[in-house]
Amino acid sequence: MIDTKRPLVLAIAGSDSSGGAGVQIDTKTAYSLGAEVATVITALTAQNPEQLRSVELVSEQMIEAQFRAVADWCEVSAVKIGMVATPECVKLIARLIREYKLRNVVVDPVLAATSGGELARSGVAAAIIEHLVPLATVLTPNQDEAEVLCGLSKAEIASAESAQACWQSFEAIGLQALLLKGGHAGAWQAKGEIVDMLYERGSSSVQEFRAPRLRVPEINTHGTGCTLSTAVASHLALGYSLPQATGRAIDYVQSLLRESCSETE
Ligand code: PLP
């Protein structure tokens, strides 16, 4: 049953057979935050939190058909883009978002599974930069993804100044806002804390969101990136500003993590 009174989030992502990431977690997240969800499935993955076993891509025709079936039928209040495995599909999705003039576009540049397997073919990072960065309301990479997208080395990115340099390189190519997710971060983070950083075009200072780094079993961290990005999209769909949506999304992920553990580092 569809609740038409709720704003609709369109989740464009891969299916994760374990249910911990991808469209499964996007659906769970958006609905539990008060939004309705529709999906464009870009790939099927056979995986569990320990191992990515197999990936089968959905054809471009089928991706386009799913997109049009939703966008022709109802108003989309926000879009969350996760796993898109080929540069051609990235370009297609960008074209459709422009054609339908969709707003509140949260781009999570998924390149690899947390367990290590590749989720994107070569050329996807470059296609995200060329086609999705200019239309994103916010781009939400973790540190590993930011490294690939900015072309900075691990050594270069291991400081707060490099986070700023990373933002400046995106700002120069037209990005509106960058949420650097701290969950995977190493050296640029204070010990025992996760710091997520929000940069917005036109705002002179970075907004830092600090939360305790919880001692969470690894199985419970699979999919946290997807959850955070979809929670931001859901709050944008509900009418919150980007900083408010970010703060609420981080609180939501923290509350889920807190449920799965009892003590902090
Ligand atoms: N999308 C899909 C379909 C996935 O399978 C994964 C990870 O396995 C992700 C996205 C990214 O997951 P995370 O939120 O852990 O970065």
Side-chain angles (χ1 to χ4, degrees):
M1 197 188 95
I2 297 164
D3 184 344
T4 51
K5 289 198 292 302
R6 291 175 173 225
L8 185 82
V9 174
L10 178 59
I12 303 172
S15 159
D16 171 357
S17 57
S18 74
V23 289
Q24 286 84 352
I25 203 72
D26 294 340
T27 303
K28 193 167 119 179
T29 301
Y31 198 81
S32 64
L33 290 171
E36 189 50 271
V37 202
T39 60
V40 171
I41 297 181
T42 58
L44 301 180
T45 72
Q47 65 173 310
N48 56 43
E50 285 156 16
Q51 192 185 34
L52 177 68
R53 296 189 175 177
S54 181
V55 177
E56 193 164 305
L57 303 188
V58 172
S59 69
E60 286 176 54
Q61 291 80 352
M62 191 57 194
I63 289 175
E64 181 165 353
Q66 292 175 80
F67 192 110
R68 290 193 188 280
V70 176
D72 284 340
W73 151 73
C74 75
E75 191 190 335
V76 174
S77 298
V79 186
K80 141 72 195 275
I81 304 173
M83 174 188 176
V84 184
T86 69
E88 294 75 22
C89 290
V90 170
K91 193 172 173 187
L92 166 68
I93 288 162
R95 176 165 61 75
L96 290 166
I97 286 175
R98 285 189 194 285
E99 181 183 327
Y100 284 88
K101 299 186 174 58
L102 300 188
R103 63 210 158 86
N104 294 329
V105 180
V106 177
V107 178
D108 189 19
V110 172
L111 300 175
T114 307
S115 60
E118 294 294 314
L119 292 171
R121 292 195 180 157
S122 81
V124 164
I128 290 173
I129 288 173
E130 183 178 351
H131 301 290
L132 293 179
V133 160
L135 55 74
T137 303
V138 60
L139 182 74
T140 64
N142 60 35
Q143 189 188 14
D144 296 336
E145 292 156 351
E147 258 182 79
V148 175
L149 292 167
C150 297
L152 293 172
S153 70
K154 270 245 184 284
E156 284 171 320
I157 210 159
S159 73
E161 294 79 56
S162 345
Q164 179 73 27
C166 184
W167 160 239
Q168 282 165 351
S169 70
F170 281 120
E171 196 181 21
I173 55 168
L175 185 63
Q176 292 302 318
L178 175 70
L179 174 59
L180 271 176
K181 295 189 287 199
H184 288 219
W188 72 16
Q189 303 274 300
K191 200 172 177 319
E193 265 191 332
I194 292 184
V195 188
D196 296 302
M197 288 180 275
L198 178 66
Y199 298 87
E200 286 186 285
R201 183 175 284 274
S203 162
S204 53
S205 59
V206 56
Q207 294 175 68
E208 293 185 348
F209 298 84
R210 290 176 182 272
R213 187 175 289 274
L214 303 169
R215 206 188 289 274
V216 182
E218 215 155 278
I219 186 173
N220 300 110
T221 61
H222 171 71
T224 46
C226 298
T227 308
L228 181 55
S229 303
T230 305
V232 171
S234 304
H235 285 108
L236 290 174
L238 290 162
Y240 292 97
S241 68
L242 182 58
Q244 289 169 334
T246 303
R248 285 176 173 259
I250 291 167
D251 289 348
Y252 175 70
V253 173
Q254 277 285 315
S255 71
L256 294 179
L257 291 174
R258 228 174 284 119
E259 276 173 30
S260 66
C261 66
S262 51
E263 49 182 280
T264 58
E265 269 181 13

